[in-house]
Amino acid sequence: MIRVLAACALLLIANIATAQSVKLTAEQITNLLSGNTAVGKWDGVGYRQYFGGDGVTIYVQDGAQSARGEWRVDASRDEYQSIWSKDDAWEGWYVMEYVGVYFWVSKATPPTPFRVEQGEHLVEE
């Protein structure tokens, strides 16, 4: 029995060790975000961001007023992009998945984990 448990533990460790992060394609990003809400922490502060099917995005950070922007997916770069009222240009982020967890990834910030809730959930329920 101990040998079986040890073999199972080694198999599990081997599977975790070989797991790799995957960069989502434009189609996968669109399917993941469109009509749904991303939930996570940005710089240690909780947030919720809804991605409307019409290209509107609403960002709600704990303790702050909500912000409205636009979002799109650049198929040639396989990246999510957004622009906000104070911005001059669209900013792009890769979306990565690692062992069932999604991450925003850019050159300017470390990978930032988030989860997705189906539908619009700007208020925590």
Side-chain angles (χ1 to χ4, degrees), residues 5-86:
L5 290 175
C8 288
L10 285 173
L11 185 59
L12 178 64
I13 290 169
N15 284 337
I16 291 172
T18 60
Q20 295 183 356
S21 62
V22 175
K23 178 183 170 194
L24 272 60
T25 65
E27 181 179 1
Q28 291 170 320
I29 295 168
T30 300
N31 291 338
L32 177 69
L33 299 179
S34 188
N36 294 321
T37 304
V39 180
K41 287 193 174 190
W42 199 264
D43 291 331
V45 180
Y47 77 89
R48 292 175 168 275
Q49 184 172 355
Y50 174 70
F51 301 90
D54 59 357
V56 170
T57 185
I58 300 172
Y59 182 86
V60 178
Q61 193 171 40
D62 293 350
Q65 192 172 27
S66 65
R68 183 183 185 278
E70 296 177 47
W71 77 283
R72 67 184 183 192
V73 176
D74 183 335
S76 68
R77 300 180 62 132
D78 286 325
E79 73 178 12
Y80 154 79
Q81 297 178 342
S82 63
I83 191 165
W84 305 89
S85 61
K86 64 181 177 359

